[in-house]
Amino acid sequence: MQPDEILAMTEAEWLGLADFLDDLTDREWRTDSLCPGWTVHEVAAHVSMSARSTLLGTLGGVIRARGDFNRMVATEARERAARFAPAALVAQIRETAGSSHRMPGSSPFDPLVDALVHGQDIARPLGRVRRMPAAPVVAALEHARVSRFYGSRKRFRGMRLIATDLDWSAGEGPDELRGPAGDLLLVATGRPAGLAALSGSGVGRLAAAL
């Protein structure tokens, strides 16, 4: 896939997420997301940084978090949520939707993964449906399933993944995971919420690993 194709899909997903967020009520912004300990507001604050991270800023944040990357990201999200109201965060997401800038060390596919997965982190606890189009979800899944960052290369070892809503499959092994591509993407990025829609001999082993 060409870089301009990835960027175009990513831009469309960010703009769609901004429209989705714009429709939320004040109560929904305060609701807990699928990310443990994070509200919807904090997830939105986190994704607003997707095209704003710098190498120096990231290194400084990791040092302040004593080398804990996840703690750094969580602290940054909470501080940014306290600083910016929902409308300001939505505007920021729209402003950078078409940017090719991304977090240092990340792949061109990672912003696409972020837009899709964080959209579900927000939508599912609210009981809202946020559709994931076929081409973007397949591109994100192809990347995430072998990514060391998400831990899915180890998690899916010895498993064949089969989408039940698309003509897509990948991986090899004695175990199978079957389900909608979007739910396979959720478990590829460490979200147990995707397990409920999956079937196959690999489900038990995967559940133990999440």
Side-chain angles (χ1 to χ4, degrees):
M1 184 172 292
Q2 297 300 311
D4 58 339
E5 294 178 281
I6 303 169
L7 188 58
M9 286 196 300
T10 304
E11 180 179 12
E13 288 306 311
W14 281 127
L15 291 174
L17 179 58
D19 290 344
F20 182 85
L21 290 170
D22 227 2
D23 190 46
L24 301 187
T25 66
D26 290 343
R27 179 187 61 79
E28 287 175 320
W29 277 90
R30 297 191 298 270
T31 300
D32 290 338
S33 72
L34 288 185
C35 301
W38 290 33
T39 64
V40 166
H41 193 165
E42 288 161 348
V43 174
H46 168 65
V47 301
S48 74
M49 287 294 295
S50 179
R52 292 180 169 82
S53 298
T54 64
L55 179 58
L56 287 178
T58 300
L59 290 175
V62 170
I63 290 170
R64 289 190 296 274
R66 299 179 182 179
D68 189 325
F69 180 81
N70 290 330
R71 181 190 297 171
M72 181 272 291
V73 171
T75 299
E76 182 182 71
R78 292 186 180 106
E79 290 176 348
R80 194 167 180 82
R83 182 180 173 192
F84 293 106
L89 294 174
V90 172
Q92 290 169 17
I93 293 168
R94 284 202 178 99
E95 180 185 356
T96 58
S99 174
S100 60
H101 182 83
R102 58 185 187 273
M103 181 173 284
S106 65
S107 158
F109 288 98
D110 285 314
L112 178 62
V113 175
D114 277 352
L116 289 165
V117 173
H118 285 312
Q120 299 303 309
D121 288 337
I122 291 168
R124 294 195 178 202
L126 300 178
R128 288 177 175 250
V129 175
R130 175 155 170 72
R131 193 177 69 85
M132 290 187 277
V137 78
V138 166
L141 183 53
E142 287 280 8
H143 170 68
R145 75 178 184 87
V146 296
S147 169
R148 289 180 178 171
F149 177 78
Y150 301 109
S152 45
R153 183 178 297 186
K154 179 179 179 181
R155 197 177 298 131
F156 290 148
R157 187 172 295 146
M159 292 190 190
R160 180 161 179 77
L161 280 59
I162 302 168
T164 54
D165 57 340
L166 301 171
D167 183 17
W168 180 89
S169 61
E172 295 180 357
D175 289 326
E176 285 189 353
L177 281 176
R178 294 177 173 271
D183 292 279
L184 291 172
L185 178 61
L186 287 184
V187 296
T189 54
R191 270 71 174 174
L195 285 169
L198 303 185
S199 61
S201 57
V203 171
R205 179 156 67 88
L206 182 61
L210 291 175

